[in-house]
Amino acid sequence: MSSWIAQHFLNPALFWPGLALVSVPIIIHLINRLHYRRVQFAAMEFLLASQERNRRRVLLEQLLLLLLRILFVLALLALIGRMVLSAQQLSLFRGAKSHHLVILDDSGSMRDRAGETTAFDEAKSVIRKLVAEGANRPGTQRFTLLLASRPDEPLAGFAARDIDDSLVDEVSSRLEDLECTHQLLDLNSAIEAAGQRIAQDRDDQRHVHVLSDFRRRDWFDNKPLAASLKKLDDDGVTVNLVRTVASSQDNLAISDLSGDLAIAAAGVPVTFDVTVKNFGGRNAEGVRVSLAVDGRDVPKNLVFDSIAAGAEASRSFEVRFSSAGAHRLETKLEADPLAADNARFLAIPVPEENPVLVIDGSPGQEQGTYVADALAADKSVTGYAPFVAAPDFLRQTSLDQYLMVYLINVPELPADDVAMLEEYVAEGGGLAWFLGDTIKPAFYNDTLYRDGAGLFPVMLGSAPRNLSHDPSQDAGPDIQPTAHPITTILTGEGRLFLDLIFVNAFFPVADQWLLETLPELTDVASIAALRNQQPVLLEHSFGNGRIVTCLTAAGPLLSPDGLPWTNWANGPAAPSYAVFQLDLARYVARRPQKQVRHIVGEPLEETFSRTEFSDDVEFVSPDSHVTQIKAVPVNATGDAESTTDARGLVPLTATLRDTDAPGVYTVRMATSGGQIQEQQVAINVAPAEGDLKLVSDSELLAAIGPVERLVVQAPGQFEWIRSESPGEDIRWGLLLLLLGIIFAEQALAYRLSYHPTRRLRGLAPAA
């Protein structure tokens, strides 16, 4: 009973005293019905006879008068006690035992600034008002605060806490220091966690308040999220969707920053591309992007004349790093509503030079010399440092130090060398094949091709073949390239070089393989063919690495008929040969040199061998905060199965989970010899956070479907929190009802009371 009273009265304490007042008209009625000693006289007999005839009517009229007076007291009680007809129309803090679970969206877009405040500040203001109102009903309200970035556990100290004055002070203090993240978050996880936490709650009323900016990309047509909200409604939980942003704003974001890091070396100009996306609804004019290298501004800006609404545009620029080591590149936009996505960072490891291993199986390594000269004609421009060696050098070196490996005219390789090459390429290394007169097709087909599972892309014919140059057949140039990053010099403005390139000998692909296997392959692509349509340049992948195969020689190797296999390296087209080799090296370069995309909030993990480094790892954040972490075995983290390195030891891993701040992080490790090694990693804001378009109420409700207990609250409106607002409509109805009862009661009382006529009032008392 007390629960029902608390749910239907804003002032439940007045219910029982008011109910006691109902006895007043009843007592008065009973007093008026008391009988006195009867005195018989003739006139009285006449009156009694008249009363007997009208007794039933008079009794009904008196009972009706009594009911009107009781109804008057009840209506007055309902008015003073602030009664409402539906418990759902009451204030959220109405005196009933209630649990208020607040989900605070702290994703990066909540940093959206309007004037002097942000969406996150508005959400914190709502929480303060909620708690302050709940403190007016001590002992009846509980409060839980979940952050969308950490939905598994409530914010420390705010798990099902009773709301009182001390909690008000604590919430105000904690919210003052609480900062919004830069992360792209999944609100459905937080809503599911809230549903699980509140499902077993025994409170009379359960409320889940979602404080968010309600971006369209998060809420529109999000079926899992809609299902979670529907489940809350089915479980009898009131869902309050509270907007913190009134309207969407135009916003620009740097969505990408990348560079040709494979050729980065001290003193070598590196080309970078920066992309700006316009998330707004109108064209952006005169957009400027500034640059900073190692924290120092570069005295030049990139200017985008116009970026269409919803489109993105890119600009290229060059940076020359004067010294080897770790460098940082930052691009910055001018200020707009969301500052977090106006900057993008890139960590660039710049070596003194990029070593390239050239393995040449021909006598004197003459073929490899042409490749080395093309790659290192000017080291200050190319940054490559090729090293030419015979095939037996493979077992004497570690391939991890090389940017890529060339295998030129290599007849065959020992099994352990093949295994080492496969491991190198699978882990991201680059490999380029060039053939020649020492090639053993059987070895290539059986060991290197290995039914399509090896390092070589095709099955070779039994012997090299000459390319016919019959003048009666005009089939075009000897090499016919397709559009590809490594054939740009032959398909663009340098197309004139094609007629200067001659190919006299090549290794054909096995006829059966060419007809039956090639059409079914999806991972082997033909980059260029000969005039007889035989493939001459092929590309395929092996693990994380790329492999490019050329079925002719790397240089002017003489064929049995005395003609060079090709004149490309030393003929009139030699300039295009150098460019081709540079593009080839850039394309197949070791994959770890490619920039890994790290997003804020993702754990930063460093895995290493315990024999090479100590287990103490330091992570330095962009604001120079140092976090020391003790590395643990890989399988001890629960993130991976037990693995071992070449020595049978389990690698160690150290993980930094606090990566919310965008910027460049530094990882410091000490080698077994005590030397400190550093590695830099760039962590950026997810570009999608820059999309500030809002979902409308109609779209939101249509996506969620029919729900009974879900309400969308407008931004800046707090009537739903205040206790004065609910029940106002019924208050005026009660006032009108009271006036009607008063008039009816007075009219009926007048009718039932005694009113002497004027003639009787004028008689003398003696009469």
Side-chain angles (χ1 to χ4, degrees):
M1 182 64 180
S2 60
S3 174
W4 183 91
I5 296 170
Q7 294 180 29
H8 289 79
F9 287 89
L10 292 175
N11 300 320
L14 298 176
F15 179 82
W16 293 110
L19 190 63
L21 291 177
V22 175
S23 62
V24 173
I26 298 176
I27 293 173
I28 294 174
H29 177 77
L30 294 177
I31 292 175
N32 288 334
R33 296 289 295 170
L34 290 176
H35 295 285
Y36 299 92
R37 184 172 59 87
R38 297 183 178 183
V39 178
Q40 298 287 339
F41 55 93
M44 182 60 69
E45 292 292 337
F46 173 77
L47 291 174
L48 289 174
S50 175
Q51 181 185 17
E52 187 67 26
R53 290 194 301 270
N54 299 305
R55 181 177 181 179
R56 178 173 297 179
R57 177 180 58 80
V58 172
L59 180 60
L60 290 175
E61 290 176 343
Q62 289 177 342
L63 289 176
L64 181 60
L65 179 62
L66 175 61
L67 290 176
L68 284 173
R69 289 169 176 169
I70 293 175
L71 184 60
F72 174 81
V73 175
L74 292 175
L76 188 62
L77 167 64
L79 180 64
I80 298 175
R82 298 294 305 280
M83 180 182 180
V84 294
L85 295 179
S86 172
Q88 297 299 326
Q89 296 175 357
L90 277 168
S91 168
L92 296 173
F93 300 94
R94 54 181 166 273
K97 192 67 174 178
S98 302
H99 187 181
H100 300 268
L101 192 153
V102 176
I103 299 174
L104 176 57
D105 181 3
D106 57 342
S107 60
S109 62
M110 289 287 284
R111 292 175 174 266
D112 181 13
R113 178 169 293 277
E116 297 299 321
T117 186
T118 65
F120 193 67
D121 292 335
E122 290 297 312
K124 292 193 290 186
S125 176
V126 173
I127 294 175
R128 292 188 185 97
K129 289 180 171 61
L130 277 170
V131 176
E133 183 63 33
N136 295 330
R137 312 281 179 181
T140 63
Q141 312 293 316
R142 295 196 300 151
F143 173 75
T144 298
L145 179 58
L146 285 180
L147 296 179
S149 60
R150 290 173 287 177
D152 296 334
E153 288 295 332
L155 191 64
F158 297 142
R161 281 278 301 275
D162 289 334
I163 301 180
D164 50 24
D165 291 338
S166 64
L167 181 65
V168 173
D169 296 336
E170 187 177 345
V171 166
S172 179
S173 175
R174 291 285 298 278
L175 291 182
E176 190 70 27
D177 299 330
L178 187 63
E179 293 187 0
C180 185
T181 72
H182 295 84
Q183 301 171 27
L184 179 66
L185 302 176
D186 179 16
L187 285 175
N188 184 47
S189 299
I191 293 175
E192 286 182 342
Q196 295 171 2
R197 182 167 292 274
I198 208 169
Q200 305 301 323
D201 205 308
R202 298 296 183 182
D203 291 328
D204 297 319
Q205 296 294 325
R206 297 171 296 166
H207 307 277
V208 171
H209 309 275
V210 183
L211 279 55
S212 175
D213 48 9
F214 291 90
R215 304 299 176 185
R216 198 171 191 274
R217 55 179 162 74
D218 295 326
W219 292 84
F220 181 73
D221 199 23
N222 190 332
K223 294 181 180 179
L225 190 147
S228 298
L229 292 173
K230 189 73 167 60
K231 186 177 187 306
L232 285 175
D233 182 72
D234 295 339
D235 292 341
V237 179
T238 300
V239 180
N240 214 23
L241 304 182
V242 184
R243 291 183 177 272
T244 59
V245 175
S247 60
S248 59
Q249 303 187 80
D250 291 340
N251 182 55
L252 296 173
I254 299 181
S255 58
D256 188 48
L257 176 61
S258 59
D260 195 1
L261 306 187
I263 65 170
V268 177
V270 182
T271 301
F272 295 91
D273 295 301
V274 61
T275 303
V276 178
K277 184 162 186 178
N278 180 8
F279 288 104
R282 55 185 177 181
N283 293 353
E285 309 291 340
V287 178
R288 294 181 177 272
V289 176
S290 60
L291 309 175
V293 176
D294 296 331
R296 296 186 296 273
D297 292 337
V298 176
K300 73 173 180 179
N301 290 331
L302 305 176
V303 180
F304 298 76
D305 295 332
S306 179
I307 304 177
E312 59 184 13
S314 299
R315 289 288 184 275
S316 297
F317 61 96
E318 282 190 350
V319 175
R320 187 189 299 269
F321 301 99
S322 58
S323 61
H327 294 272
R328 304 188 310 273
L329 175 63
E330 179 183 2
T331 54
K332 295 175 288 187
L333 277 172
E334 297 173 343
D336 62 8
L338 190 62
D341 61 1
N342 290 342
R344 202 155 188 90
F345 304 87
L346 200 59
I348 307 150
V350 178
E352 190 67 39
E353 56 189 12
N354 289 309
V356 175
L357 180 60
V358 181
I359 299 297
D360 188 357
S362 56
Q365 290 85 50
E366 293 181 358
Q367 299 293 301
T369 303
Y370 288 98
V371 172
D373 290 344
L375 294 178
D378 187 350
K379 287 186 180 181
S380 64
V381 176
T382 67
Y384 293 122
F387 177 73
V388 183
D392 57 2
F393 180 76
L394 281 173
R395 65 185 58 197
Q396 304 173 23
T397 186
S398 172
L399 297 182
D400 290 339
Q401 60 184 305
Y402 296 104
L403 185 67
M404 66 169 296
V405 176
Y406 280 83
L407 293 177
I408 300 174
N409 202 15
V410 176
E412 58 184 344
L413 292 169
D416 53 348
D417 286 357
V418 174
M420 183 172 60
L421 281 168
E422 289 182 345
E423 181 181 0
Y424 168 76
V425 178
E427 293 178 355
L431 179 62
W433 292 99
F434 283 86
L435 304 188
D437 56 0
T438 67
I439 296 299
K440 296 182 178 181
F443 171 77
Y444 275 68
N445 293 339
D446 297 339
T447 304
L448 296 178
Y449 172 65
R450 208 168 65 247
D451 292 328
L455 294 174
F456 205 74
V458 297
M459 285 190 66
L460 295 177
S462 59
R465 183 184 302 174
N466 291 332
L467 180 65
S468 172
H469 292 87
D470 188 349
S472 64
Q473 298 178 356
D474 186 12
D478 285 359
I479 295 180
Q480 300 179 356
T482 61
H484 193 275
I486 70 174
T487 59
T488 304
I489 188 63
L490 302 178
T491 57
E493 296 179 356
R495 186 175 179 84
L496 55 91
F497 288 112
L498 278 178
D499 293 330
L500 304 177
I501 300 173
F502 292 96
V503 176
N504 297 308
F506 67 98
F507 251 101
V509 175
D511 294 338
Q512 182 179 1
W513 187 94
L514 185 63
L515 295 175
E516 299 179 3
T517 308
L518 181 60
E520 301 176 359
L521 293 180
T522 57
D523 60 340
V524 177
S526 176
I527 300 175
L530 296 173
R531 58 166 43 222
N532 60 1
Q533 301 308 307
Q534 276 275 349
V536 67
L537 276 177
L538 297 157
E539 174 197 354
H540 78 292
S541 59
F542 186 89
N544 294 322
R546 286 174 177 167
I547 301 175
V548 170
T549 302
C550 180
L551 300 183
T552 188
L557 181 69
L558 293 181
S559 61
D561 58 5
L563 295 175
W565 279 50
T566 175
N567 73 334
W568 194 4
N570 64 341
S576 67
Y577 179 82
V579 176
F580 166 79
Q581 292 294 351
L582 291 172
D583 289 340
L584 170 61
R586 185 181 297 113
Y587 184 72
V588 302
R590 186 173 176 83
R591 299 269 73 76
Q593 289 282 359
K594 304 296 181 180
Q595 190 66 26
V596 179
R597 311 284 177 161
H598 292 280
I599 301 300
V600 289
E602 294 180 352
L604 181 57
E605 187 175 279
E606 186 68 27
T607 302
F608 53 91
S609 171
R610 64 177 69 204
T611 60
E612 297 179 2
F613 297 93
S614 68
D615 58 357
D616 291 319
V617 181
E618 285 187 351
F619 293 90
V620 184
S621 64
D623 60 358
S624 300
H625 177 73
V626 179
T627 303
Q628 293 185 339
I629 296 178
K630 176 105 30 204
V632 297
V634 170
N635 58 326
T637 65
D639 297 333
E641 296 180 357
S642 177
T643 58
T644 58
D645 58 19
R647 300 184 182 183
L649 300 176
V650 177
L652 298 178
T653 182
T655 303
L656 177 68
R657 302 194 180 278
D658 184 11
T659 59
D660 179 68
V664 176
Y665 290 71
T666 301
V667 184
R668 292 176 183 158
M669 298 186 298
T671 66
S672 55
Q675 295 180 340
I676 302 299
Q677 289 190 4
E678 291 189 353
Q679 177 185 356
Q680 291 190 340
V681 179
I683 298 182
N684 291 290
V685 174
E689 280 297 284
D691 189 356
L692 302 182
K693 290 187 287 293
L694 302 178
V695 64
S696 66
D697 287 358
S698 58
E699 290 175 333
L700 185 58
L701 295 175
I704 297 173
V707 287
E708 179 183 355
R709 299 175 181 83
L710 185 142
V711 182
V712 181
Q713 306 292 352
Q717 302 296 321
F718 303 110
E719 286 78 8
W720 55 276
I721 298 178
R722 303 188 186 104
S723 60
E724 291 80 4
S725 59
E728 287 185 353
D729 293 337
I730 194 173
R731 181 193 309 173
W732 291 107
L734 288 173
L735 286 173
L736 294 176
L737 177 62
L738 278 173
L739 290 176
I741 292 174
I742 290 173
F743 283 122
E745 188 273 341
Q746 288 296 308
L748 188 57
Y750 182 83
R751 170 181 171 79
L752 295 179
S753 61
Y754 176 70
H755 303 284
T757 62
R758 182 176 301 176
R759 183 176 63 82
L760 292 176
R761 287 198 299 269
L763 294 177

